[in-house]
Every structure is written in structure tokens, then in C-alpha cells.
């Protein structure tokens, strides 16, 4: 029985992973792909690598943290599989209708649903989380509007970057060992801007 639940859990995890990739890859790598700095396949590969890295380093503690704060019981294997399934379904529905939805909100919602079903939901914690879901977009709107109206035009005037013809980087073969070098028309400003966009992604 445990083996069957575990197998279903692995399938549910893959299902969630695909949906998270469909929901979040464009957000993380859209600017780099749109600017022509990366191809779609490279962006997908980078997203896959960093998702696995995040899952291995910090992701394993997420369910324990959320279950300890949002609900008052430890999440069993079967309950964890159910939570994963509903996370995946929530993100899938959002993807189908083109609605951007944070994975964290979907996860908290699924765990809160488990808390309601088992009468173990911590309403104080949920109230605190939901209040920040309301406040954060309003703050982000005003910060974005202020930056876009007053700061961005000046930054764009001072640091405007245009893509040069040819490759960004090449190999300098003048020595005994080839080493990376700027492309034939690449400026340090263009290289710095490209690296910045990739690091942000």
C-alpha cells in the first residue's frame, strides 16, 4: 500500500513540476529570451537545472515548514500526495486559462484546504499570509510606477544597451590555450547588461 501511494506521489510530483515549469519559466526567462540572449531550449534547460537545485537544497523543508505553521498536524504521505495533486491541478487550470498564479499561493491554498478538512487550520497564520497577498501587489504597483515614471527614463538614457552584430563572446586563439574573449563588436556595457539579465533570471 505504501509503495502504491509513493508511486502516485512521484507521478503527482512530476505533474506539479511540469505545471510549475509552464507557469514560471516565462516569468524567469522571458526577458532574456525576448531580448534574444537565450533560446527557448536553453531557458528550459536552465530552469530545469535551477528547479532541481532549489528542490534539493531548500525545497525538502518547505512542506515541513508550511505544515507546522498553517496546520496543526504533520502531513502524512497520503495527505502529501493529495496536496501535491491539488497544487498541480490549481496551476494547470491557471496555465490553461493564461492566469499567472504563484506556486506559493497555490501551495498554501492546498495545505489550507487540508487544514479545513481536518479542522486543524491556523486561521491567524492564514490571515497574516492573505493580508500580505493583498498588500504586496499594491506596494509593488506603486514601486513599479515610481521607478517607471521617474527612475527608468534616466537609467535608460545613461545606460542604453543595443545589441551588436555577431556573437557576444568568442575564443581568443592567439595563445597556446584558447580563452574566452569579447565578440568582434561586443562592448563591456553590452556584456554587463547581458550578464545582469541572466543573473536576474
Amino acid at each position: 500500500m505504501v509503495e502504491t501511494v509513493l508511486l502516485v506521489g512521484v507521478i503527482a510530483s512530476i505533474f506539479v513540476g511540469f505545471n510549475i515549469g509552464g507557469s514560471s519559466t516565462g516569468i524567469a526567462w522571458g526577458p532574456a529570451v525576448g531580448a534574444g540572449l537565450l533560446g527557448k531550449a536553453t531557458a528550459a534547460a536552465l530552469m530545469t537545472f535551477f528547479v532541481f537545485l532549489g528542490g534539493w537544497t531548500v525545497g525538502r523543508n518547505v512542506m515541513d515548514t508550511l505544515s507546522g505553521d498553517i496546520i496543526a498536524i504533520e502531513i502524512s504521505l497520503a495527505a502529501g500526495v493529495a496536496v501535491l495533486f491539488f497544487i498541480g491541478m490549481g496551476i494547470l487550470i491557471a496555465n490553461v486559462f493564461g492566469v499567472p498564479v504563484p506556486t506559493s499561493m497555490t501551495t498554501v491554498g492546498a495545505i489550507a484546504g487540508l487544514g479545513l478538512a481536518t479542522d486543524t487550520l491556523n486561521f491567524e497564520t492564514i490571515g497574516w499570509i492573505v493580508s500580505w497577498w493583498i498588500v504586496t501587489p499594491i506596494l509593488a504597483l506603486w514601486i513599479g510606477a515610481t521607478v517607471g515614471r521617474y527612475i527608468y527614463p534616466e537609467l535608460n538614457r545613461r545606460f542604453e544597451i543595443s545589441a551588436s552584430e555577431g556573437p557576444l563572446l568568442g575564443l581568443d586563439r592567439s595563445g597556446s590555450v584558447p580563452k574566452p574573449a569579447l565578440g568582434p563588436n561586443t562592448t563591456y556595457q553590452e556584456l554587463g547588461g547581458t550578464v545582469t539579465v541572466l543573473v536576474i533570471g
Side-chain angles (χ1 to χ4, degrees):
M1 179 63 181
V2 174
E3 291 81 2
T4 304
V5 175
L6 190 59
L7 177 61
V8 173
V10 170
I11 294 170
S13 298
I14 294 171
F15 175 61
V16 170
F18 271 105
N19 283 295
I20 290 174
S23 174
S24 303
T25 304
I27 296 169
W29 298 106
V33 173
L37 304 177
L38 291 177
K40 290 181 180 178
T42 305
L46 285 170
M47 186 70 176
T48 301
F49 170 76
F50 283 111
V51 165
F52 274 105
L53 179 64
W56 179 256
T57 53
V58 297
R60 63 178 76 188
N61 300 319
V62 169
M63 290 297 278
D64 291 336
T65 301
L66 289 174
S67 65
D69 293 340
I70 296 175
I71 58 178
I73 59 171
E74 186 175 335
I75 297 179
S76 65
L77 179 60
V81 171
V83 167
L84 276 173
F85 175 76
F86 284 110
I87 291 169
M89 284 301 298
I91 299 173
L92 175 63
I93 293 169
N95 286 343
V96 168
F97 287 98
V99 179
V101 58
T103 306
S104 57
M105 285 187 174
T106 313
T107 304
V108 169
I111 294 174
L114 175 64
L116 284 173
T118 56
D119 198 26
T120 57
L121 181 62
N122 185 334
F123 285 95
E124 183 180 349
T125 301
I126 281 293
W128 178 255
I129 292 171
V130 171
S131 67
W132 276 106
W133 286 351
I134 296 169
V135 170
T136 304
I138 297 171
L139 289 176
L141 171 66
W142 283 104
I143 292 170
T146 303
V147 170
R149 176 67 179 86
Y150 299 106
I151 300 174
Y152 177 76
E154 182 64 20
L155 291 175
N156 193 44
R157 186 181 66 78
R158 291 184 181 216
F159 303 105
E160 183 177 3
I161 301 170
S162 56
S164 61
E165 294 292 328
L168 183 72
L169 295 173
L171 283 177
D172 180 4
R173 302 177 186 276
S174 59
S176 57
V177 178
K179 54 185 179 182
L182 294 179
N185 301 307
T186 303
T187 64
Y188 283 105
Q189 189 176 18
E190 182 184 3
L191 178 64
T194 301
V195 170
T196 301
V197 170
L198 296 178
V199 168
I200 289 172

